[in-house]
Amino acid sequence: TAYTEATCKGNCVGLVKLMGRQSGYLTLQSVLAARHVDICLLPEMDINLEKVLDHTVHLIQTHGYAVVVVAEGCGDTLGSEPVADVG
């Protein structure tokens, strides 16, 4: 699991990309079931990448790790330019 990978070594980030191009429903349900997720990014959210990175750094400094789950639809909104649908 991403939690195991993130906690095995200091200052690590466990990153998981889950299904959810149009909706983050499956991602949200997975995060609620996992209970070990620090940050969850969904396509329905307005995401400020700088705030996400700052919070990730804060988690690593205080806990030594961070577990981040991203729905695949977030890739369209995280960059400066929209990403074409690849499939």
Side-chain angles (χ1 to χ4, degrees), residues 35-69:
R35 300 183 334 214
H36 292 294
V37 177
D38 298 305
I39 299 173
C40 176
L41 303 177
L42 304 173
E44 294 89 350
M45 299 169 60
D46 291 327
I47 300 169
N48 181 327
L49 189 56
E50 185 176 327
K51 287 183 180 181
V52 172
L53 295 176
D54 288 343
H55 186 61
T56 304
V57 169
H58 171 74
L59 288 169
I60 291 172
Q61 290 173 345
T62 57
H63 298 292
Y65 66 91
V67 177
V68 181
V69 177

mmCIF file of all heavy atoms in Angstrom, residues 35-69:
data_model
loop_
_atom_site.group_PDB
_atom_site.id
_atom_site.type_symbol
_atom_site.label_atom_id
_atom_site.label_comp_id
_atom_site.label_asym_id
_atom_site.label_seq_id
_atom_site.Cartn_x
_atom_site.Cartn_y
_atom_site.Cartn_z
ATOM 1 N N ARG A 35 -8.386 5.025 5.364
ATOM 2 C CA ARG A 35 -8.116 5.665 6.655
ATOM 3 C C ARG A 35 -6.685 6.161 6.841
ATOM 4 O O ARG A 35 -6.363 6.696 7.875
ATOM 5 C CB ARG A 35 -8.460 4.735 7.810
ATOM 6 C CG ARG A 35 -9.878 4.310 7.870
ATOM 7 C CD ARG A 35 -10.156 3.463 9.073
ATOM 8 N NE ARG A 35 -8.957 2.761 9.529
ATOM 9 C CZ ARG A 35 -8.953 1.562 10.061
ATOM 10 N NH1 ARG A 35 -10.053 0.925 10.222
ATOM 11 N NH2 ARG A 35 -7.833 0.995 10.447
ATOM 12 N N HIS A 36 -5.786 5.946 5.905
ATOM 13 C CA HIS A 36 -4.398 6.376 6.057
ATOM 14 C C HIS A 36 -4.000 7.398 4.998
ATOM 15 O O HIS A 36 -2.850 7.459 4.608
ATOM 16 C CB HIS A 36 -3.445 5.182 5.970
ATOM 17 C CG HIS A 36 -3.559 4.240 7.114
ATOM 18 N ND1 HIS A 36 -3.211 4.583 8.391
ATOM 19 C CD2 HIS A 36 -3.998 2.970 7.178
ATOM 20 C CE1 HIS A 36 -3.424 3.559 9.199
ATOM 21 N NE2 HIS A 36 -3.903 2.561 8.481
ATOM 22 N N VAL A 37 -4.935 8.189 4.533
ATOM 23 C CA VAL A 37 -4.658 9.144 3.466
ATOM 24 C C VAL A 37 -4.589 10.546 4.063
ATOM 25 O O VAL A 37 -5.475 10.958 4.812
ATOM 26 C CB VAL A 37 -5.734 9.073 2.373
ATOM 27 C CG1 VAL A 37 -5.495 10.118 1.306
ATOM 28 C CG2 VAL A 37 -5.758 7.681 1.764
ATOM 29 N N ASP A 38 -3.529 11.281 3.720
ATOM 30 C CA ASP A 38 -3.357 12.633 4.233
ATOM 31 C C ASP A 38 -3.954 13.680 3.307
ATOM 32 O O ASP A 38 -4.491 14.690 3.762
ATOM 33 C CB ASP A 38 -1.868 12.929 4.430
ATOM 34 C CG ASP A 38 -1.245 11.988 5.441
ATOM 35 O OD1 ASP A 38 -1.767 11.924 6.572
ATOM 36 O OD2 ASP A 38 -0.264 11.314 5.098
ATOM 37 N N ILE A 39 -3.851 13.479 1.998
ATOM 38 C CA ILE A 39 -4.358 14.433 1.021
ATOM 39 C C ILE A 39 -5.109 13.664 -0.055
ATOM 40 O O ILE A 39 -4.610 12.672 -0.579
ATOM 41 C CB ILE A 39 -3.211 15.238 0.373
ATOM 42 C CG1 ILE A 39 -2.456 16.020 1.438
ATOM 43 C CG2 ILE A 39 -3.744 16.166 -0.705
ATOM 44 C CD1 ILE A 39 -1.199 16.705 0.912
ATOM 45 N N CYS A 40 -6.298 14.151 -0.393
ATOM 46 C CA CYS A 40 -7.107 13.553 -1.455
ATOM 47 C C CYS A 40 -7.497 14.656 -2.431
ATOM 48 O O CYS A 40 -8.091 15.659 -2.031
ATOM 49 C CB CYS A 40 -8.351 12.900 -0.860
ATOM 50 S SG CYS A 40 -9.474 12.244 -2.100
ATOM 51 N N LEU A 41 -7.157 14.479 -3.701
ATOM 52 C CA LEU A 41 -7.467 15.468 -4.726
ATOM 53 C C LEU A 41 -8.501 14.899 -5.691
ATOM 54 O O LEU A 41 -8.294 13.833 -6.265
ATOM 55 C CB LEU A 41 -6.197 15.855 -5.484
ATOM 56 C CG LEU A 41 -5.057 16.389 -4.614
ATOM 57 C CD1 LEU A 41 -3.829 16.657 -5.472
ATOM 58 C CD2 LEU A 41 -5.475 17.623 -3.855
ATOM 59 N N LEU A 42 -9.605 15.623 -5.852
ATOM 60 C CA LEU A 42 -10.716 15.182 -6.682
ATOM 61 C C LEU A 42 -10.955 16.173 -7.818
ATOM 62 O O LEU A 42 -10.689 17.372 -7.660
ATOM 63 C CB LEU A 42 -11.996 15.075 -5.840
ATOM 64 C CG LEU A 42 -11.917 14.170 -4.615
ATOM 65 C CD1 LEU A 42 -13.186 14.288 -3.793
ATOM 66 C CD2 LEU A 42 -11.657 12.741 -5.014
ATOM 67 N N PRO A 43 -11.489 15.709 -8.955
ATOM 68 C CA PRO A 43 -11.740 16.608 -10.087
ATOM 69 C C PRO A 43 -12.745 17.716 -9.758
ATOM 70 O O PRO A 43 -12.713 18.774 -10.361
ATOM 71 C CB PRO A 43 -12.296 15.705 -11.181
ATOM 72 C CG PRO A 43 -12.044 14.324 -10.755
ATOM 73 C CD PRO A 43 -11.808 14.328 -9.288
ATOM 74 N N GLU A 44 -13.622 17.481 -8.802
ATOM 75 C CA GLU A 44 -14.632 18.473 -8.442
ATOM 76 C C GLU A 44 -14.056 19.639 -7.634
ATOM 77 O O GLU A 44 -14.732 20.635 -7.409
ATOM 78 C CB GLU A 44 -15.762 17.822 -7.617
ATOM 79 C CG GLU A 44 -16.581 16.814 -8.375
ATOM 80 C CD GLU A 44 -16.027 15.400 -8.311
ATOM 81 O OE1 GLU A 44 -14.900 15.199 -7.839
ATOM 82 O OE2 GLU A 44 -16.733 14.492 -8.755
ATOM 83 N N MET A 45 -12.829 19.507 -7.191
ATOM 84 C CA MET A 45 -12.218 20.523 -6.333
ATOM 85 C C MET A 45 -11.486 21.580 -7.153
ATOM 86 O O MET A 45 -10.928 21.279 -8.199
ATOM 87 C CB MET A 45 -11.198 19.864 -5.385
ATOM 88 C CG MET A 45 -11.775 18.838 -4.465
ATOM 89 S SD MET A 45 -10.512 17.874 -3.600
ATOM 90 C CE MET A 45 -9.634 19.112 -2.707
ATOM 91 N N ASP A 46 -11.470 22.813 -6.630
ATOM 92 C CA ASP A 46 -10.575 23.841 -7.156
ATOM 93 C C ASP A 46 -9.259 23.653 -6.412
ATOM 94 O O ASP A 46 -9.190 23.878 -5.200
ATOM 95 C CB ASP A 46 -11.129 25.246 -6.909
ATOM 96 C CG ASP A 46 -12.359 25.525 -7.739
ATOM 97 O OD1 ASP A 46 -12.432 25.009 -8.871
ATOM 98 O OD2 ASP A 46 -13.233 26.248 -7.253
ATOM 99 N N ILE A 47 -8.223 23.227 -7.122
ATOM 100 C CA ILE A 47 -6.971 22.843 -6.484
ATOM 101 C C ILE A 47 -5.927 23.920 -6.703
ATOM 102 O O ILE A 47 -5.657 24.326 -7.821
ATOM 103 C CB ILE A 47 -6.475 21.497 -7.031
ATOM 104 C CG1 ILE A 47 -7.510 20.414 -6.748
ATOM 105 C CG2 ILE A 47 -5.132 21.132 -6.417
ATOM 106 C CD1 ILE A 47 -7.254 19.118 -7.462
ATOM 107 N N ASN A 48 -5.332 24.354 -5.596
ATOM 108 C CA ASN A 48 -4.209 25.281 -5.645
ATOM 109 C C ASN A 48 -2.962 24.438 -5.397
ATOM 110 O O ASN A 48 -2.709 23.999 -4.272
ATOM 111 C CB ASN A 48 -4.372 26.358 -4.580
ATOM 112 C CG ASN A 48 -3.257 27.371 -4.602
ATOM 113 O OD1 ASN A 48 -2.102 27.047 -4.918
ATOM 114 N ND2 ASN A 48 -3.583 28.599 -4.255
ATOM 115 N N LEU A 49 -2.195 24.193 -6.441
ATOM 116 C CA LEU A 49 -1.044 23.300 -6.355
ATOM 117 C C LEU A 49 -0.024 23.781 -5.319
ATOM 118 O O LEU A 49 0.565 22.976 -4.615
ATOM 119 C CB LEU A 49 -0.383 23.150 -7.722
ATOM 120 C CG LEU A 49 0.704 22.090 -7.828
ATOM 121 C CD1 LEU A 49 0.184 20.725 -7.408
ATOM 122 C CD2 LEU A 49 1.252 22.030 -9.239
ATOM 123 N N GLU A 50 0.149 25.086 -5.203
ATOM 124 C CA GLU A 50 1.108 25.623 -4.224
ATOM 125 C C GLU A 50 0.693 25.269 -2.800
ATOM 126 O O GLU A 50 1.518 24.870 -1.986
ATOM 127 C CB GLU A 50 1.209 27.139 -4.383
ATOM 128 C CG GLU A 50 2.276 27.752 -3.492
ATOM 129 C CD GLU A 50 2.436 29.239 -3.734
ATOM 130 O OE1 GLU A 50 2.260 29.685 -4.878
ATOM 131 O OE2 GLU A 50 2.736 29.948 -2.754
ATOM 132 N N LYS A 51 -0.610 25.373 -2.500
ATOM 133 C CA LYS A 51 -1.091 25.013 -1.159
ATOM 134 C C LYS A 51 -0.943 23.516 -0.899
ATOM 135 O O LYS A 51 -0.608 23.102 0.208
ATOM 136 C CB LYS A 51 -2.546 25.430 -0.991
ATOM 137 C CG LYS A 51 -2.732 26.915 -0.847
ATOM 138 C CD LYS A 51 -4.185 27.256 -0.620
ATOM 139 C CE LYS A 51 -4.378 28.749 -0.473
ATOM 140 N NZ LYS A 51 -5.795 29.095 -0.235
ATOM 141 N N VAL A 52 -1.204 22.712 -1.927
ATOM 142 C CA VAL A 52 -1.052 21.261 -1.780
ATOM 143 C C VAL A 52 0.409 20.915 -1.479
ATOM 144 O O VAL A 52 0.700 20.123 -0.577
ATOM 145 C CB VAL A 52 -1.542 20.525 -3.048
ATOM 146 C CG1 VAL A 52 -1.192 19.037 -2.981
ATOM 147 C CG2 VAL A 52 -3.031 20.708 -3.233
ATOM 148 N N LEU A 53 1.326 21.519 -2.216
ATOM 149 C CA LEU A 53 2.749 21.248 -1.990
ATOM 150 C C LEU A 53 3.198 21.739 -0.620
ATOM 151 O O LEU A 53 3.966 21.052 0.072
ATOM 152 C CB LEU A 53 3.588 21.892 -3.097
ATOM 153 C CG LEU A 53 3.371 21.315 -4.495
ATOM 154 C CD1 LEU A 53 4.169 22.102 -5.517
ATOM 155 C CD2 LEU A 53 3.710 19.847 -4.551
ATOM 156 N N ASP A 54 2.726 22.915 -0.203
ATOM 157 C CA ASP A 54 3.070 23.426 1.130
ATOM 158 C C ASP A 54 2.572 22.492 2.224
ATOM 159 O O ASP A 54 3.283 22.217 3.195
ATOM 160 C CB ASP A 54 2.494 24.822 1.343
ATOM 161 C CG ASP A 54 3.202 25.892 0.539
ATOM 162 O OD1 ASP A 54 4.338 25.628 0.061
ATOM 163 O OD2 ASP A 54 2.630 26.985 0.383
ATOM 164 N N HIS A 55 1.339 21.994 2.069
ATOM 165 C CA HIS A 55 0.796 21.077 3.073
ATOM 166 C C HIS A 55 1.553 19.747 3.072
ATOM 167 O O HIS A 55 1.789 19.160 4.131
ATOM 168 C CB HIS A 55 -0.693 20.851 2.841
ATOM 169 C CG HIS A 55 -1.342 20.048 3.917
ATOM 170 N ND1 HIS A 55 -1.390 20.466 5.232
ATOM 171 C CD2 HIS A 55 -1.950 18.838 3.894
ATOM 172 C CE1 HIS A 55 -2.002 19.558 5.960
ATOM 173 N NE2 HIS A 55 -2.354 18.554 5.166
ATOM 174 N N THR A 56 1.948 19.289 1.900
ATOM 175 C CA THR A 56 2.731 18.055 1.807
ATOM 176 C C THR A 56 4.060 18.217 2.532
ATOM 177 O O THR A 56 4.470 17.328 3.291
ATOM 178 C CB THR A 56 2.965 17.666 0.336
ATOM 179 O OG1 THR A 56 1.703 17.553 -0.323
ATOM 180 C CG2 THR A 56 3.713 16.357 0.220
ATOM 181 N N VAL A 57 4.718 19.329 2.325
ATOM 182 C CA VAL A 57 5.987 19.598 3.025
ATOM 183 C C VAL A 57 5.754 19.649 4.532
ATOM 184 O O VAL A 57 6.530 19.086 5.312
ATOM 185 C CB VAL A 57 6.626 20.911 2.515
ATOM 186 C CG1 VAL A 57 7.772 21.342 3.406
ATOM 187 C CG2 VAL A 57 7.089 20.745 1.080
ATOM 188 N N HIS A 58 4.669 20.290 4.961
ATOM 189 C CA HIS A 58 4.344 20.351 6.391
ATOM 190 C C HIS A 58 4.133 18.945 6.970
ATOM 191 O O HIS A 58 4.630 18.635 8.066
ATOM 192 C CB HIS A 58 3.091 21.204 6.608
ATOM 193 C CG HIS A 58 2.556 21.140 7.997
ATOM 194 N ND1 HIS A 58 3.168 21.773 9.060
ATOM 195 C CD2 HIS A 58 1.479 20.500 8.509
ATOM 196 C CE1 HIS A 58 2.482 21.529 10.161
ATOM 197 N NE2 HIS A 58 1.448 20.753 9.847
ATOM 198 N N LEU A 59 3.407 18.098 6.250
ATOM 199 C CA LEU A 59 3.186 16.727 6.718
ATOM 200 C C LEU A 59 4.495 15.957 6.842
ATOM 201 O O LEU A 59 4.704 15.215 7.806
ATOM 202 C CB LEU A 59 2.239 15.992 5.765
ATOM 203 C CG LEU A 59 0.778 16.424 5.799
ATOM 204 C CD1 LEU A 59 0.018 15.807 4.637
ATOM 205 C CD2 LEU A 59 0.145 16.032 7.128
ATOM 206 N N ILE A 60 5.364 16.117 5.867
ATOM 207 C CA ILE A 60 6.645 15.404 5.896
ATOM 208 C C ILE A 60 7.494 15.894 7.063
ATOM 209 O O ILE A 60 8.138 15.098 7.744
ATOM 210 C CB ILE A 60 7.377 15.556 4.554
ATOM 211 C CG1 ILE A 60 6.624 14.778 3.473
ATOM 212 C CG2 ILE A 60 8.818 15.077 4.650
ATOM 213 C CD1 ILE A 60 7.131 15.006 2.079
ATOM 214 N N GLN A 61 7.471 17.197 7.332
ATOM 215 C CA GLN A 61 8.254 17.737 8.441
ATOM 216 C C GLN A 61 7.707 17.310 9.793
ATOM 217 O O GLN A 61 8.469 17.080 10.724
ATOM 218 C CB GLN A 61 8.296 19.264 8.357
ATOM 219 C CG GLN A 61 9.126 19.782 7.209
ATOM 220 C CD GLN A 61 9.015 21.288 7.038
ATOM 221 O OE1 GLN A 61 8.127 21.937 7.585
ATOM 222 N NE2 GLN A 61 9.928 21.846 6.252
ATOM 223 N N THR A 62 6.383 17.186 9.913
ATOM 224 C CA THR A 62 5.793 16.839 11.211
ATOM 225 C C THR A 62 5.625 15.339 11.423
ATOM 226 O O THR A 62 5.822 14.858 12.536
ATOM 227 C CB THR A 62 4.426 17.533 11.392
ATOM 228 O OG1 THR A 62 3.562 17.164 10.317
ATOM 229 C CG2 THR A 62 4.592 19.039 11.428
ATOM 230 N N HIS A 63 5.259 14.598 10.367
ATOM 231 C CA HIS A 63 5.011 13.159 10.510
ATOM 232 C C HIS A 63 6.101 12.291 9.884
ATOM 233 O O HIS A 63 6.182 11.103 10.169
ATOM 234 C CB HIS A 63 3.669 12.778 9.871
ATOM 235 C CG HIS A 63 2.493 13.438 10.514
ATOM 236 N ND1 HIS A 63 2.077 13.154 11.792
ATOM 237 C CD2 HIS A 63 1.639 14.381 10.052
ATOM 238 C CE1 HIS A 63 1.031 13.881 12.095
ATOM 239 N NE2 HIS A 63 0.745 14.650 11.047
ATOM 240 N N GLY A 64 6.875 12.872 8.980
ATOM 241 C CA GLY A 64 7.922 12.105 8.315
ATOM 242 C C GLY A 64 7.470 11.440 7.024
ATOM 243 O O GLY A 64 8.258 10.804 6.346
ATOM 244 N N TYR A 65 6.196 11.582 6.678
ATOM 245 C CA TYR A 65 5.672 10.972 5.454
ATOM 246 C C TYR A 65 4.363 11.666 5.081
ATOM 247 O O TYR A 65 3.786 12.399 5.879
ATOM 248 C CB TYR A 65 5.414 9.477 5.635
ATOM 249 C CG TYR A 65 4.307 9.176 6.614
ATOM 250 C CD1 TYR A 65 2.995 9.038 6.184
ATOM 251 C CD2 TYR A 65 4.574 9.033 7.972
ATOM 252 C CE1 TYR A 65 1.975 8.777 7.075
ATOM 253 C CE2 TYR A 65 3.563 8.771 8.870
ATOM 254 C CZ TYR A 65 2.267 8.647 8.421
ATOM 255 O OH TYR A 65 1.251 8.391 9.297
ATOM 256 N N ALA A 66 3.896 11.402 3.874
ATOM 257 C CA ALA A 66 2.577 11.863 3.430
ATOM 258 C C ALA A 66 2.024 10.856 2.428
ATOM 259 O O ALA A 66 2.762 10.331 1.605
ATOM 260 C CB ALA A 66 2.672 13.241 2.777
ATOM 261 N N VAL A 67 0.744 10.596 2.523
ATOM 262 C CA VAL A 67 0.064 9.727 1.577
ATOM 263 C C VAL A 67 -0.922 10.596 0.798
ATOM 264 O O VAL A 67 -1.809 11.224 1.382
ATOM 265 C CB VAL A 67 -0.681 8.575 2.282
ATOM 266 C CG1 VAL A 67 -1.437 7.727 1.271
ATOM 267 C CG2 VAL A 67 0.296 7.723 3.069
ATOM 268 N N VAL A 68 -0.748 10.635 -0.518
ATOM 269 C CA VAL A 68 -1.555 11.489 -1.390
ATOM 270 C C VAL A 68 -2.288 10.609 -2.404
ATOM 271 O O VAL A 68 -1.669 9.781 -3.061
ATOM 272 C CB VAL A 68 -0.667 12.514 -2.140
ATOM 273 C CG1 VAL A 68 -1.513 13.415 -3.019
ATOM 274 C CG2 VAL A 68 0.167 13.323 -1.156
ATOM 275 N N VAL A 69 -3.587 10.804 -2.500
ATOM 276 C CA VAL A 69 -4.406 10.080 -3.479
ATOM 277 C C VAL A 69 -4.988 11.102 -4.443
ATOM 278 O O VAL A 69 -5.555 12.115 -4.026
ATOM 279 C CB VAL A 69 -5.526 9.278 -2.795
ATOM 280 C CG1 VAL A 69 -6.415 8.604 -3.825
ATOM 281 C CG2 VAL A 69 -4.929 8.247 -1.855
#
